[in-house]
Amino acid sequence: MNATRATKDEEGATSNAPQFLPWQEETARNWLGNRDRFAHAWLIHGLAGIGKLDFAVAAAASLLCESPVNGLACGHCAACAWFASGNHPDLRRIRPEAVAVEEGADAAEPSEDAEPATGAAKRAPSKEIRIDQIRSLESWFNTATHRGGWRVALLYPAHALNVVSSNALLKVLEEPPPHTVFLLVADAPDRLLPTLVSRCRRLPLPAPDPDTALQWLREQNVEPAREWLAAAGGAPLAALRLAQSGEAACPPWLTQLVGPLSKGQSPDVGTLAEALEKVAASEWIDALQRLYTDLMLASAGAPARYFPALASGVAQVAARMNTAKVAEAARWLTRQRALATHPLNAKLFAHSTLQRVVLSCLA
């Protein structure tokens, strides 16, 4: 969703500048409209799935634009044309190789900010931002900016920095190169090195209000928009990705789990485990964690947040369950989430997890 999109400006001319999402425009104008004392490093953070990377990309284009309009990229100058073509000399994207491949970079070729791999065997694309990617920026810092403008380093996701690369970046930010702005994108600052966070100005991005998010989703032809938005916890871009996955807003297996539980009965855990065997563990654990949130909300008399289609059944489970047991199971499930990417027996893992969930919900 962070690709440059052709739009019409106020005079009707075509603009290829990256666009801020509707709920980001006011924040962007207020932030970018005052560049006289602009910080050299910004940590852009907020709820996952609200468009933080889109914001950072559009911000980078605006900072590099030679004729900004109200602080935002004009979409017509030479700098905007270079940005749209992906070869602006004063922009660097620092992200894991795995992310670069997902974005369409050729896995067979080294990225612009990574050293080429050596040896005969090909390794899997790294999921971390490595120290050599930070070090490779040194020669870029030592050259003059193109036509005397800004230089922008866009780093995402910031939690992909390991300890070594975090410390390397920290040294850069302690003595920042001139005319350079770092834009770091993160879901949660507390997952980053505290000393690194202290070297950045924080820019929190709020989630859009439900009406704005629903309108945007419907413009993307997402229906039922309300259910998808709920499943994504109010994050519209996450809701769009879920809707495009081909799955249902409320997974059928979750309905099969809640149905018997709402009647005080135990579901067929074996059949459910078979259904989850081919689903990524991180996905179904996330769904169970959202279900636990709805259960705790229901026990407090609050409406469901994630699965409104299951609200009636969830309320019946909540009326029977032992709240302390469910809270303990929710904490246990969080610990299991850390195992989700490990090479486990998928069916056995699903079966044991579901058994724990069922036992916690039955009085």
Side-chain angles (χ1 to χ4, degrees), residues 60 64 83 86-95 111-114 133 136-141 143 151-156 180-183:
L64 294 170
F83 196 102
N87 58 7
H88 197 295
D90 292 328
L91 174 70
R92 288 291 184 275
R93 291 178 183 251
I94 304 101
R95 74 281 204 207
S111 63
E112 62 189 10
D113 45 20
Q133 294 176 269
S136 69
L137 298 173
E138 293 178 4
S139 60
W140 184 56
F141 295 148
T143 58
R151 179 191 289 121
V152 179
L154 179 58
L155 187 150
Y156 60 95
T180 302
V181 175
F182 285 83
L183 301 178

Side-chain angles (χ1 to χ4, degrees), residues 94-110:
I94 304 101
R95 74 281 204 207
E97 290 176 349
V99 173
V101 171
E102 288 177 4
E103 293 176 345
D106 190 345
E109 297 180 2

Side-chain angles (χ1 to χ4, degrees), residues 39-97:
H40 68 274
W42 292 89
L43 176 59
I44 300 169
H45 62 94
L47 179 69
I50 61 171
K52 297 185 297 298
L53 182 54
D54 294 69
F55 182 95
V57 169
S62 298
L63 289 168
L64 294 170
C65 176
E66 296 177 353
S67 304
V69 179
N70 296 324
L72 308 188
C74 70
H76 308 300
C77 67
C80 286
W82 292 328
F83 196 102
S85 62
N87 58 7
H88 197 295
D90 292 328
L91 174 70
R92 288 291 184 275
R93 291 178 183 251
I94 304 101
R95 74 281 204 207
E97 290 176 349

Side-chain angles (χ1 to χ4, degrees), residues 195-255:
T195 49
L196 183 60
V197 174
S198 70
R199 293 293 175 179
C200 302
R201 287 280 297 277
R202 291 170 64 156
L203 181 64
L205 295 184
D209 64 82
D211 290 341
T212 299
L214 288 171
Q215 179 181 347
W216 182 82
L217 282 171
R218 286 167 181 148
E219 289 171 357
Q220 315 306 313
N221 299 315
V222 172
E223 288 293 352
R226 193 172 300 277
E227 289 188 18
W228 284 114
L229 186 63
L237 270 74
L240 178 61
R241 287 193 291 270
L242 287 172
Q244 292 174 337
S245 69
E247 303 295 332
C250 179
W253 64 265
L254 202 58
T255 303

Side-chain angles (χ1 to χ4, degrees), residues 95-99 102 123-130 133 157 159-161 341:
R95 74 281 204 207
E97 290 176 349
V99 173
E102 288 177 4
R123 57 176 174 79
S126 174
K127 295 182 179 180
E128 294 185 337
I129 294 174
R130 304 188 314 276
Q133 294 176 269
H159 70 258
L161 287 160
T341 57

